[in-house]
């Protein structure tokens, strides 16, 4: 070549020359081929890798496959195994581009592991139980024994590989459990809050940490030629680096944090210094002789939990995990050549590796679990869960290949084995372990059927801290007393994503005063603190914080299961729209609406959707100092009766006033209803007429009781409005006194009324019902909060069913419980 050139050695065989200045092209109009230049090729590779992995994840998501599987499979497809066998590989992934791609992949890996270090609270290890510790160690010891034994079979043809180095890397690859991937699998299987899920997470956390130490040790000892002195220097230098980070870097970062006053954002210079430290740490550890990722993760671990960590995560996480990290997994797939898996022997070797890995984990976990007298099926399930593979395994295999510890064939076998084991975990566990849900029958699934002197159990769902103030004020207005206390289960809803912060909150403690290790945990801590403050100001309230981590498509299962487990009477869930500064209602997340619809369709008790437009009040005031003007629009039916029952409970609060507006058919509407039916002898028609008369009797009885109370109580007002059609109904609703700050209405499911005829054609949110949709619309003049209530009316609830047992609040106890310990407390 005429220009200055350099050489790049690929696979120890092929030498590829390139011109250093061929980074950016002048464009096709000047005769340049963009595929000959580094930057255009890298951009195209990045787009293809991200698009392919996302597309595969979209198709594999219904099969509950973790994202790492789709990213490695994307590398398989784009690499020499599939598309790379044609001209596509030579054009899009030429050998000269491998160095650039690997470099950027490792940069993404550095920052991802830095974020993992920042988000990880190392003190959690101190709280891991002995059982989890023993299971983790046994799950690593048995694969080690099996690996050493099998090395004589697998290693016999690898004459160029030193056996001791091979064993160390082989043990790490087979014995380590990927904690982040395991947490997502447990969330998919709804096992996070169960005993087996918590045990698996604790054991995986220990296994992951041990894996990093063993990997560092393996890298230090992998140079067989200069083992005696080089390895010792590498280990000593690594130890000094860790000491330097703990005693120099961490105090320096804390000093930097102290220079930023509380509540202020960190300046650009501080963030730049911290992020530069990732590269510096990686350079130091790479210079020492261990992989740069160790410098990044150790540096991340010494960053104190709190506002700085949250700021770093918010700035980096989406870009690193969404764009850069897939490059690393895809590059692993690009290096894998499935085409060399020719012959029965290679496939038999692959099956042997998978069997050895699974057998070692399952056997070790099984023996320890049986020692602790765990059920056999649960022990086997735990063993398979511990076989989950992920990031550290891919790092091990790439480092081993780079240092010639694994040849190309064994590297391919190990990568395929890791992907296969991770992909098979969910189907296997689904088949062998199906935890039986014991549905405990209970009587009080509706507020109307709850006794006046009984405890009211409410499950409130929270998406973000913005939902908290109005819900707390609503609960405060519900008038908890010693005779009828309020037991509140606060369920923080967290979407299951590929972000590490959403996963590490599972391990994060939720005790007051502890710094948050992620933005999501910071939100959760804020929610818990607010409800704890509410409980401290009201002696008749007990609060139990819980967390649901799931995809929004299945999150309703968590909510309904929790409601049934805790024998809840009423579920309160926020509306999917929130009021903006200009008064308009804007959708926050379309998934919230689908979630609300699923909850309404599957709830085991009554449900209330809260349209939040603010509700005056403060938990800093005494209970009897709060004041609310409540209005109930009553058209009839079970939902309206439930709405009136809840409002009547709120009316007992000394500061509240209640106005019930009953809408009755006028003369013209009565004529329509009195027309004879075309088929009066039809059994279905007769049943509908009978049910209608029964509903009217129930409505009249409840209204009669309220009117009796209203005669002796000035805070209770009863009004009747005669309307003939939907238009008159809208006018009547708009004319209701605007002093009210809360409307409570029934959803009106299954009820047809001539009073609302035609309004459904304009309904924007049918899940709120006709009247609820009208009140929640931006066009409605009165901008007040609305609670739309649906009563639980499922058949089969017998009077002799068990009622709600005594609870802590009935024993005048006040406490706030830890999420992990209380999520599945026996009832």
């Amino acid at each position: 070549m005429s220009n200055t050139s350099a050489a790049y050695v690929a696979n120890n065989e092929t030498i590829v020359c390139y011109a250093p200045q061929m980074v950016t092209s002048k464009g096709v109009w000047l005769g340049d081929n963009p595929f000959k230049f580094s930057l255009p090729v890298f951009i195209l590779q990045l787009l293809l890798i991200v698009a392919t992995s996302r597309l595969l994840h979209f198709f594999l998501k219904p099969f509950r496959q973790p994202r790492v599987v789709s990213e490695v499979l994307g590398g398989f497809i784009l690499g020499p195994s599939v598309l790379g066998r044609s001209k596509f590989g030579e054009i899009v992934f030429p050998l000269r581009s491998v160095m650039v791609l690997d470099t950027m992949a490792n940069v993404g890996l550095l920052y991802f592991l830095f974020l993992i270090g920042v988000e990880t609270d190392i003190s959690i290890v101190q709280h891991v139980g002995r059982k989890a510790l023993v299971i983790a160690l046994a799950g690593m010891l048995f694969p080690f024994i099996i690996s050493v034994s099998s090395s004589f079979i697998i290693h016999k043809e690898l004459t160029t590989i030193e056996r001791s180095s091979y064993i160390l890397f082989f043990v790490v690859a087979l014995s380590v459990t990927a904690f982040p991937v395991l947490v997502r699998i447990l969330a998919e299987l709804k096992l996070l809050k169960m005993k087996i899920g918590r045990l698996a997470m604790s054991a995986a956390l220990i296994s992951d940490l041990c894996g990093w130490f063993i990997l560092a040790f393996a890298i230090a000892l992998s140079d067989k030629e200069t083992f005696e002195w080089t390895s010792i220097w590498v280990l000593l230098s690594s130890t000094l680096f860790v000491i330097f980070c703990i005693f120099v870097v961490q105090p320096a970062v804390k000093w930097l944090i102290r220079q930023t006053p509380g509540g202020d954002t960190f300046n650009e210079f501080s963030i730049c210094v911290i992020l530069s430290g990732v590269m510096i740490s990686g350079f130091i550890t790479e210079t020492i002789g261990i992989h740069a990722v160790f410098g990044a993760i150790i540096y991340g671990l010494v960053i104190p939990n709190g506002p700085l960590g949250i700021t770093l995560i918010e700035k980096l996480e989406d870009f690193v995990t969404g764009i850069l990290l897939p490059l690393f997994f895809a590059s692993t797939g690009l290096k894998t050549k499935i085409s060399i898996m020719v012959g029965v022997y290679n496939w038999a070797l692959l099956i042997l590796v998978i069997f050895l890995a699974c057998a070692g984990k399952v056997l070790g976990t099984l023996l320890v679990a049986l020692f602790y007298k765990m059920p056999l099926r649960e022990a086997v399930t735990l063993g398979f869960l511990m076989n989950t593979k992920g990031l550290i395994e891919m790092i091990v295999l790439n480092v081993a290949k780079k240092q010639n510890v694994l040849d190309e064939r064994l590297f391919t076998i190990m990568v395929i084995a890791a992907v296969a084991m991770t992909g098979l975990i969910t189907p296997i566990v689904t088949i062998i372990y199906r935890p039986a849900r014991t549905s405990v029958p209970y009587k009080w699934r509706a507020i109307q059927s709850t006794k006046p002197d009984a405890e009211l159990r409410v499950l409130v769902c929270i998406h973000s801290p913005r939902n908290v103030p109005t819900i707390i004020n609503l609960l405060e207005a519900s008038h908890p007393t010693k005779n009828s206390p309020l037991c509140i289960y606060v369920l923080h809803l967290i979407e299951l994503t590929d972000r590490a912060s959403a996963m590490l909150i599972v391990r994060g403690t939720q005790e007051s005063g502890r710094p948050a290790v992620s933005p999501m945990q910071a939100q959760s801590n804020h929610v818990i603190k607010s409800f704890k403050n509410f409980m401290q100001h009201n002696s008749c309230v007990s609060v139990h914080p819980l967390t649901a981590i799931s995809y929004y498509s299945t999150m309703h299962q968590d909510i309904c299961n929790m409601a049934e487990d805790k024998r809840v009477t009423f579920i309160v869930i926020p509306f999917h729209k929130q009021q903006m500064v200009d008064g308009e209602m804007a959708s926050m997340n379309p998934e919230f609406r689908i979630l609300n619809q699923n909850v309404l369709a599957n709830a085991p008790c009554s449900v209330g959707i809260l349209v939040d437009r603010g509700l005056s009040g403060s938990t800093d005031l005494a209970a009897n100092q709060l004041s609310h003007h409540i209005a109930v629009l009553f058209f009839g039916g079970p939902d309206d009766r439930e709405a009136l029952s809840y409002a009547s409970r709120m009316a007992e609060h000394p500061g509240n006033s209640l106005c019930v507006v009953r809408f009755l058919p006028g003369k013209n509407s009565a004529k329509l209803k009195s027309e004879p039916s075309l088929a009066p002898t039809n059994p279905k028609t007769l049943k509908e007429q009978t049910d209608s008369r029964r509903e009217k009797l129930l409505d009249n009885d409840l209204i009669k009781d309220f009117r009796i109370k209203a005669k002796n109580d000035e805070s209770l007002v009863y009004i009747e409005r005669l309307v003939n059609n939907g238009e008159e109904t809208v006018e009547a609703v708009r004319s209701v006194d605007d002093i009210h700050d809360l409307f409570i209405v029934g959803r009106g499911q299954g009820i047809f009324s001539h009073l609302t005829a035609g309004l459904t054609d304009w309904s924007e949110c049918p899940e709120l019902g006709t009247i609820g949709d009208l009140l929640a619309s931006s066009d409605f003049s009165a901008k007040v909060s609305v609670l739309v209530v649906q009563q639980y009316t499922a058949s089969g609830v017998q009077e002799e069913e068990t009622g709600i047992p005594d609870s802590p609040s009935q024993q005048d106890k006040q406490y706030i419980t830890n999420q992990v310990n209380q999520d599945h407390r026996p009832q």
Side-chain angles (χ1 to χ4, degrees):
M1 299 179 66
S2 59
N3 299 323
T4 304
S5 61
Y8 170 63
V9 181
N11 300 328
N12 297 324
E13 297 175 357
T14 307
I15 298 179
V16 179
C17 297
Y18 65 95
Q21 69 270 26
M22 292 183 68
V23 177
T24 58
S25 69
K26 298 177 182 179
V28 293
W29 303 116
L30 293 178
D32 278 353
N33 181 358
F35 291 100
K36 299 295 183 182
F37 295 85
S38 300
L39 184 60
V41 169
F42 172 73
I43 293 173
L44 180 60
Q45 290 172 344
L46 179 62
L47 291 174
L48 286 174
I49 288 171
V50 173
T52 304
S53 62
R54 291 284 180 174
L55 185 63
L56 286 173
H57 186 56
F58 174 78
F59 287 111
L60 293 177
K61 190 175 180 179
F63 300 98
R64 298 179 175 180
Q65 293 300 311
R67 185 170 163 181
V68 61
V69 173
S70 60
E71 288 172 345
V72 178
L73 288 179
F76 286 171
I77 294 173
L78 296 173
S81 301
V82 183
L83 296 178
R85 304 179 70 175
S86 62
K87 280 288 184 181
F88 175 86
E90 297 178 8
I91 297 174
V92 181
F93 291 95
L95 287 176
R96 67 177 183 275
S97 70
V98 174
M99 184 171 63
V100 177
L101 183 63
D102 279 351
T103 301
M104 290 304 299
N106 278 280
V107 170
L109 183 63
L110 286 182
Y111 278 99
F112 177 76
L113 289 172
F114 166 70
L115 291 178
I116 291 293
V118 171
E119 293 173 321
T120 302
D121 186 358
I122 201 67
S123 64
I124 294 173
V125 180
Q126 302 173 2
H127 305 288
V128 173
R130 181 181 299 177
K131 185 190 297 186
L133 178 62
V134 175
I135 288 176
L137 296 179
M140 300 186 72
L141 177 62
F142 278 84
F144 174 79
I145 296 173
I146 293 177
S147 299
V148 173
S149 304
S150 63
S151 64
F152 295 97
I153 302 174
I154 301 176
H155 183 269
K156 65 180 182 179
E157 294 186 2
L158 308 177
T159 55
T160 61
I161 298 177
E162 204 271 327
R163 176 170 294 171
S164 60
S165 298
Y166 155 75
I167 291 176
L168 281 173
F169 282 95
F170 195 62
V171 167
V172 177
L174 292 187
S175 60
V176 174
T177 302
F179 173 74
V181 179
L182 175 65
V183 173
R184 290 182 178 88
I185 290 176
L186 292 173
E188 284 274 12
L189 298 174
K190 306 299 182 184
L191 298 177
L192 269 179
K193 307 300 177 58
M194 300 186 68
K195 183 179 179 181
I196 187 175
R198 295 196 296 268
L199 186 59
M201 284 191 296
S202 300
L205 182 64
I206 296 296
S207 177
D208 223 355
L209 292 175
C210 291
W212 286 109
F213 285 111
I214 297 175
L215 177 57
F217 189 71
I219 294 174
L221 301 181
S222 60
D223 191 346
K224 63 178 180 180
E225 296 179 359
T226 58
F227 167 77
E228 292 81 4
W229 291 105
T230 303
S231 300
I232 293 174
W233 283 115
V234 169
L235 291 175
L236 287 176
S237 301
S238 303
T239 304
L240 290 175
F241 173 74
V242 174
I243 294 173
F244 178 80
C245 286
I246 295 174
F247 293 101
V248 178
V249 176
Q250 191 173 50
V253 174
K254 289 182 178 179
W255 176 85
L256 188 65
I257 294 174
R258 288 195 296 269
Q259 303 311 305
T260 304
D264 291 353
T265 57
F266 291 89
N267 58 47
E268 183 181 350
F269 175 76
S270 301
I271 299 298
C272 182
V273 169
I274 298 295
L275 296 181
S276 299
V278 180
M279 291 297 184
I280 296 172
S281 300
F283 174 78
I284 292 173
T285 51
E286 191 75 20
T287 305
I288 288 172
I290 58 175
H291 202 286
V293 297
F294 291 100
I297 194 169
I298 292 171
Y299 177 66
L301 287 171
V302 299
I303 300 295
N305 296 328
L308 176 59
I310 293 174
T311 302
L312 293 171
I313 292 165
E314 289 176 342
K315 289 181 177 295
L316 288 178
E317 188 167 32
D318 289 329
F319 177 71
V320 171
T321 60
I323 302 296
L324 295 182
L325 188 62
L327 291 179
F328 175 75
F329 290 110
S331 67
T332 303
L334 289 169
K335 297 171 188 174
T336 305
K337 294 183 179 179
I338 301 179
S339 58
I340 68 174
M341 298 290 292
V342 179
V344 178
Y345 177 79
N346 287 323
W347 290 103
L349 194 60
L350 172 62
I351 295 173
L352 177 63
V353 170
I354 296 176
F355 173 77
L356 292 176
C358 292
K361 281 286 189 182
V362 173
L363 181 60
T365 306
L366 182 62
L367 292 178
V368 176
L370 292 179
F371 175 78
Y372 282 100
K373 299 180 180 179
M374 290 177 59
L376 179 62
R377 180 171 296 183
E378 191 171 307
V380 174
T381 301
L382 185 60
F384 277 105
L385 288 172
M386 297 300 290
N387 275 293
T388 305
K389 306 300 177 187
L391 179 64
I392 185 172
E393 291 77 20
M394 296 303 167
I395 295 175
V396 169
L397 297 178
N398 278 277
V399 173
K401 187 176 188 297
K402 175 186 174 183
Q403 300 194 1
N404 296 322
V405 175
L406 297 178
D407 66 358
E408 199 167 68
R409 179 168 62 93
L410 193 53
F411 174 80
T412 299
I413 290 174
M414 296 295 290
V415 170
I416 296 174
V419 174
M421 283 189 289
T422 305
L424 290 173
I425 293 299
T426 301
I428 291 175
V429 172
T430 303
I431 293 172
I432 66 176
Y433 186 75
R434 295 182 180 179
R437 288 190 53 81
T438 55
S439 180
V440 181
Y442 66 101
K443 176 181 176 182
W444 297 330
R445 296 174 183 261
I447 299 173
Q448 186 181 1
S449 61
T450 304
K451 294 181 179 179
D453 58 347
E455 176 190 62
L456 179 62
R457 292 193 172 194
V458 181
L459 175 66
V460 295
C461 301
I462 305 292
H463 291 295
S464 69
R466 184 172 179 176
N467 304 137
V468 172
T470 299
I471 288 181
I472 286 183
N473 290 326
L474 176 69
L475 295 171
E476 178 67 70
S478 301
H479 192 47
T481 62
K482 287 186 177 182
N483 292 330
S484 181
L486 202 59
C487 181
I488 305 169
Y489 294 94
V490 183
L491 189 62
H492 187 197
L493 306 178
I494 300 176
E495 183 184 10
L496 177 61
T497 66
D498 294 308
R499 299 183 64 169
S501 59
M503 292 297 96
L504 290 170
I505 189 177
V506 180
R507 296 304 308 166
T509 56
Q510 306 239 346
E511 298 173 2
S512 177
R514 300 224 24 152
V517 298
S518 69
M520 194 63 67
Q521 189 176 337
Q523 286 193 12
S524 188
N525 288 346
H526 183 276
V527 170
I528 292 171
K529 184 178 180 181
S530 300
F531 277 92
K532 182 178 179 180
N533 184 56
F534 167 51
M535 184 184 68
Q536 289 174 344
H537 285 82
N538 198 314
S539 60
C540 303
V541 173
S542 64
V543 175
H544 308 270
L546 310 165
T547 304
I549 302 179
S550 179
Y551 292 116
Y552 283 125
S553 59
T554 61
M555 191 174 284
H556 66 281
Q557 298 175 11
D558 298 85
I559 296 173
C560 296
N561 291 341
M562 192 67 66
E564 192 159 13
D565 288 344
K566 305 303 182 183
R567 305 182 188 181
V568 166
T569 300
F570 193 43
I571 298 174
V572 178
I573 190 166
F575 187 45
H576 71 278
K577 292 183 178 181
Q578 289 186 343
Q579 189 174 26
M580 299 292 102
V581 177
D582 59 359
E584 293 294 318
M585 298 295 292
S587 177
M588 303 307 296
N589 189 335
E591 298 284 354
F592 293 174
R593 182 181 183 184
I594 298 174
L595 171 62
N596 291 352
Q597 292 170 345
N598 289 334
V599 171
L600 289 171
N602 298 279
C605 59
S606 295
V607 180
I609 297 180
L610 179 61
V611 181
D612 183 5
R613 289 195 178 111
L615 190 60
S616 60
S618 172
T619 54
D620 293 331
L621 299 176
N624 56 5
Q625 293 179 339
L626 297 176
S627 175
H628 296 288
H629 300 282
I630 305 163
V632 173
L633 307 183
F634 192 91
F635 289 82
D639 294 345
D640 283 29
R641 292 196 296 271
E642 187 76 352
L644 179 54
S645 299
Y646 185 55
S648 298
R649 178 188 175 97
M650 298 177 71
E652 294 177 5
H653 192 289
N656 292 341
S657 63
L658 173 61
C659 175
V660 176
V661 182
R662 188 182 188 185
F663 292 81
L664 296 172
K667 294 181 179 179
N668 295 333
S669 177
K671 290 180 180 179
L672 290 172
K673 296 186 69 176
S674 63
E675 292 179 358
S677 174
L678 296 177
T681 58
N682 188 313
K684 182 178 180 180
T685 304
L686 291 174
K687 182 179 184 301
E688 290 177 354
Q689 293 176 351
T690 303
D691 291 342
S692 177
R693 285 194 293 268
R694 180 175 178 272
E695 291 294 326
K696 286 182 180 179
L697 290 174
L698 293 173
D699 293 341
N700 292 334
D701 289 342
L702 189 63
I703 290 293
K704 181 180 179 181
D705 292 340
F706 177 80
R707 296 184 69 174
I708 293 174
K709 292 180 181 179
K711 289 181 179 180
N712 303 317
D713 192 338
E714 295 181 354
S715 65
L716 303 181
V717 178
Y718 175 76
I719 302 173
E720 289 185 354
R721 293 289 176 88
L722 300 179
V723 291
N724 297 301
N725 50 49
E727 292 182 2
E728 293 185 11
T729 299
V730 172
E731 292 300 322
V733 170
R734 293 183 184 276
S735 66
V736 175
D737 201 335
D738 59 1
I739 66 168
H740 303 99
D741 51 10
L742 176 66
F743 279 98
I744 302 180
V745 297
R747 183 188 174 205
Q749 57 168 341
I751 300 296
F752 173 77
S753 174
H754 292 280
L755 307 186
T756 58
L759 298 183
T760 55
D761 298 336
W762 303 95
S763 180
E764 183 181 354
C765 301
E767 66 271 18
L768 296 182
T770 305
I771 302 302
D773 181 74
L774 172 66
L775 296 173
S777 66
S778 300
D779 299 331
F780 190 67
S781 57
K783 305 298 183 182
V784 298
S785 295
V786 182
L787 182 66
V788 180
V789 179
Q790 173 183 284
Q791 185 181 63
Y792 176 79
T793 56
S795 60
V797 181
Q798 303 296 329
E799 290 298 321
E800 63 268 20
E801 287 181 336
T802 307
I804 300 176
D806 291 339
S807 69
S809 62
Q810 288 173 320
Q811 301 168 10
D812 292 330
K813 291 183 179 180
Q814 300 178 39
Y815 61 91
I816 188 162
T817 56
N818 182 272
Q819 160 200 338
V820 173
N821 295 329
Q822 290 292 329
D823 281 352
H824 285 274
R825 185 185 63 182
Q827 295 298 312

